[in-house]
Amino acid sequence: MRPTYLTEKSIGEFIARALAEDIGDGDHSSLAAIPADAQNKARLLIKGDGILAGAELATYIFKAVDPDLQVELLLQDGAQVKYGDIGLTVKGKAQSILTAERLVLNCMQRMSGIATYTNSLRQLIEGTKAKLLDTRKTTPNFRMMEKWAVVIGGGHNHRFGLYDMVMLKDNHVDYAGGIREAITATQRYLQEKGKDLQIEVETRNLQEVKETLETGGIHRIMLDNMVPETMREAVKMIGGRYEVEASGGITEKTISAVAACGVDYISVGALTHSMKSLDISLKAYK
């Protein structure tokens, strides 16, 4: 199922902004060198192993540049790909293909890299109840596509922005004067504003977990940068009363041990800020 933030309007607005940034007052290289009536073909070449993402977005981009371009998807989002695979073909006005090329590749390379890394981490926690989450550590103005790539790779989206969930992190707690103060102030604010938002509280040690449980009225407790032994004790303390999320520097080397602690969610910022793009190119062919 497509995430709710992916609407025809939101995708169209993203593409319009991206094309305006890239094209400016014209793709002068293509306009100068290629006859206006030239018709050609190109194919998307996969030059690495991983999970394909951004193929559906590519069709939107090509059509936004030129509705007459004919795009055939040979591989769908989520497909396991290898070097030498062909993801799609496009044919039509040569100038249009060239104008769309870089935006298609920029999106697909990064999205495929995210989906590939997400898929690899997800496999490491199979057999546990833990779900893999992304974070807000995303590229400005590209968050929607990065979070879409996480879903394609088999992960789940955390909150999309600051507005759709309350997360009381360490700085919020410190500025508010403590766990209890931060939670009660938030509860009061939500009631006054008539907002029905879930509350998550970040905890750094077992004492903060205890204070959160004593205060109550929240939905999820985050265990931040805790070693597995402490995390298991925290999960035991919480006892299923609230959802539990683990976070903080979790890598492919540590994620299995974290999942084994019994947490419900594991959030990994590296899904979107430290992945390696998948090598993809668009090449003309006869």
Side-chain angles (χ1 to χ4, degrees):
M1 180 182 295
R2 178 188 286 185
T4 56
Y5 51 79
L6 291 171
T7 64
E8 295 291 323
K9 183 174 183 290
S10 64
I11 294 172
E13 289 175 345
F14 162 75
I15 294 172
R17 288 194 302 268
L19 288 174
E21 175 186 62
D22 200 29
I23 298 171
D25 70 348
D27 174 9
H28 300 304
S29 303
S30 299
L31 293 172
I34 309 299
D37 59 353
Q39 300 285 307
N40 286 94
K41 299 185 293 184
R43 54 191 175 190
L44 190 85
L45 301 180
I46 309 301
K47 301 165 70 176
D49 300 341
I51 302 296
L52 189 69
E56 183 180 355
L57 175 60
T59 65
Y60 280 101
I61 295 170
F62 281 122
K63 291 296 185 180
V65 170
D66 184 347
D68 292 330
L69 288 177
Q70 299 176 48
V71 183
E72 182 181 4
L73 288 184
L74 304 178
L75 294 169
Q76 302 294 323
D77 286 328
Q80 184 83 44
V81 296
K82 62 184 184 305
Y83 186 96
D85 284 344
I86 300 174
L88 62 81
T89 62
V90 56
K91 61 182 179 179
K93 189 176 178 180
Q95 289 180 346
S96 299
I97 293 173
L98 293 170
T99 298
E101 174 185 7
R102 180 45 53 193
L103 180 56
V104 166
L105 292 177
N106 283 346
C107 292
M108 290 196 68
Q109 287 177 323
R110 184 164 181 81
M111 289 178 70
S112 295
I114 291 170
T116 298
Y117 189 45
T118 300
N119 183 259
S120 68
L121 291 188
R122 183 191 60 78
Q123 291 183 41
L124 293 175
I125 61 175
E126 283 186 353
T128 72
K129 69 175 182 177
K131 293 182 178 180
L132 182 62
L133 299 178
D134 55 22
T135 71
R136 285 173 46 249
K137 295 177 181 178
T138 54
T139 308
N141 297 320
F142 199 59
R143 177 176 297 177
M144 178 169 59
M145 303 312 167
E146 291 176 339
K147 283 183 170 285
W148 188 4
V150 168
V151 173
I152 291 170
H156 300 265
N157 295 149
H158 209 311
R159 58 178 179 165
F160 193 85
L162 292 169
Y163 56 87
D164 57 359
M165 181 180 185
V166 171
M167 184 183 293
L168 301 176
K169 296 178 71 68
D170 51 357
N171 284 337
H172 295 94
V173 170
D174 290 344
Y175 285 169
I179 291 281
R180 182 179 299 277
E181 290 82 359
I183 293 174
T184 55
T186 298
Q187 292 168 338
R188 185 167 57 250
Y189 170 87
L190 293 177
Q191 183 175 17
E192 291 173 353
K193 299 297 182 181
K195 289 190 171 295
D196 182 20
L197 297 177
Q198 290 195 343
I199 302 173
E200 178 171 2
V201 181
E202 178 182 284
T203 59
R204 294 164 283 192
N205 50 58
L206 293 178
Q207 178 58 36
E208 290 191 342
V209 173
K210 181 174 181 291
E211 291 175 18
T212 301
L213 292 171
E214 290 173 347
T215 306
I218 51 96
H219 300 85
R220 187 183 302 175
I221 297 176
M222 177 190 290
L223 310 178
D224 186 53
N225 282 296
M226 293 186 186
V227 298
E229 293 77 13
T230 305
M231 200 174 293
R232 283 193 293 270
E233 181 63 26
V235 170
K236 183 178 178 181
M237 287 174 60
I238 296 166
R241 281 176 280 178
Y242 302 111
E243 295 178 339
V244 182
E245 175 184 336
S247 187
I250 296 168
T251 69
E252 59 269 16
K253 294 181 180 180
T254 61
I255 193 169
S256 296
V258 171
C261 293
V263 298
D264 300 294
Y265 300 99
I266 302 174
S267 55
V268 180
L271 293 181
T272 51
H273 73 62
S274 295
M275 37 53 68
K276 179 181 178 182
S277 293
L278 187 67
D279 193 3
I280 302 173
S281 64
L282 190 71
K283 295 297 183 183
Y285 74 104
K286 301 294 185 181

